Amino acid sequence: MQNYPISKSRMASLVSHPDEVKVVSRRFGQGATDIDRYLELDGYRAVQKALGMEADAIINEVKNSGLRGRGGAGFSTGMKWSFVPKQSAKPKYVLCNGDESEPGTCKDRLIFEHDPHSVIEGVMIGGLAVGARSGYIYIRGEYRYLSIIMQKAIRDAYTKGFLGKNIFGSGRDFDVYWHGGAGAYEVGEESALMESLEGKRGIPRIRPPFPAVVGLWGGPTVINNAETLASVPPIILGGAEWFAKLGPPKNGGTRLFCLSGNVAKPGVYELPMGYNLKKMIYEVGGGIPNGRQLKAVVPGGASCPCLTADEVDVNMDFDSVAKAGSMLGSGGVVVIDDAQCIVKFALRTMKFYQHESCGWCIPCREGTDWLKKTLVRFHAGGGVKKDIDNMQYLSENMLGRTFCPLGDAAAMPTIAFVKKFRKEFEDHLEGRPCPFELEGAREQMPVMAH
Ligand code: SF4
């Protein structure tokens, strides 16, 4: 790959707040892309400790830490690792899912940019836990400059002898490879990512069999998000109990929350799991600018149902947000103020999913297209009353009827927008143009980082 200089404007700026607990982000801004600096900052100590542990002990430590997948699903990482069979005729693999593409989410980007070795170390520890001898770090195609950083980090780790044959004199071998995506959101789905890595079109596989048993090139495979893997070295060094206590029960650790949209201080903040959403918006994010009021929040990336202003007094852990009727998802918190049109927001969200649908299954391919067309017409003032129920009906009929979660990801926010903001949809009816644009409200929608 071409080795071009990375312009400063492409590097994400760092923000901070006193409530932050820096675990995954502790090396951000510390020059840790340099392997010697990484070593000064406790780098590669966790993997050396893990080399002296039994595989089951590593898995139990991660299980007891309460670490749950940071990519969106929130499944127990230790549990996922325990599903990989001990014996296998085929090689086993560890995959890092760095195909971060969910609108509103930009946390893995910071990890790759500031602390790439922590991901390599997480992949290595995952490999020791499941008995794999190689791992892949798959990075989103649009993150080209981050791929350059990661490729250098991998090269440096080989040069130091931390990767390859006889790692740290342990008699064990471990290889790590970088792989770049081609710019498809769909490839963030784990089985589509494996197809892509194998050089095929990135569409999902039918399951079962699940990747833990039949994954990459048919071998048992664990696949974890980059933030999940970067959380593993601190767990090995600090212990499961310490990590678990950072968050509420069954939701261990911290989370990189990507705060964007209509907030005074947008940015990526590392806060303990279970941090209150209202506090996050008004204290960490500095509240809603320009004297506007909060209208809604998308709490975990574009695929999550929105919460209204009355519903934001919720703790940001997987279980509490689910209880509130949404999902913690990928940590992308998008704040929407009262100058924004929800119909336009729903349209923007649907345009994304319609564009990214891989087209393999009909409810998603046709459903997203119909919903987008209806929303375009509706927002332009060409809507009729029946459209509102039709959008809801169509979305509900996509749920659970597609090969991969993209169909649900498109349907769930639409259902919530229609249900919670029906009046706003009705205000667009019968030839009336968007009332928000009539009022001279901002043309610009909240900026979702992605
Ligand atoms: Fe493709 Fe959508 Fe079906 Fe997923 S749900 S397989 S993205 S068409």
Side-chain angles (χ1 to χ4, degrees), residues 353-368:
Y353 287 114
Q354 187 267 348
H355 180 258
E356 293 297 339
S357 169
C358 79
W360 194 33
C361 49
I362 295 164
C364 172
R365 185 185 66 219
E366 299 301 320
T368 54

Side-chain angles (χ1 to χ4, degrees), residues 304-322:
C304 301
C306 69
L307 298 172
T308 65
D310 296 335
E311 295 171 327
V312 296
D313 194 2
V314 60
N315 294 339
M316 292 290 274
D317 58 73
F318 289 104
D319 303 321
S320 303
V321 182

Side-chain angles (χ1 to χ4, degrees), residues 137-157:
I137 298 173
Y138 187 110
I139 295 185
R140 173 185 181 187
E142 293 88 340
Y143 281 173
R144 194 165 172 222
Y145 72 109
L146 299 176
S147 284
I148 292 168
I149 294 173
M150 182 53 76
Q151 285 172 312
K152 179 179 182 305
I154 294 171
R155 267 199 315 270
D156 290 348

Side-chain angles (χ1 to χ4, degrees), residues 400-423:
R401 291 190 171 88
T402 54
F403 284 123
C404 89
L406 193 147
D408 286 2
M412 286 186 298
T414 312
I415 293 169
F417 288 135
V418 173
K419 214 159 145 186
K420 296 184 180 185
F421 293 95
R422 196 176 178 96
K423 167 83 174 58

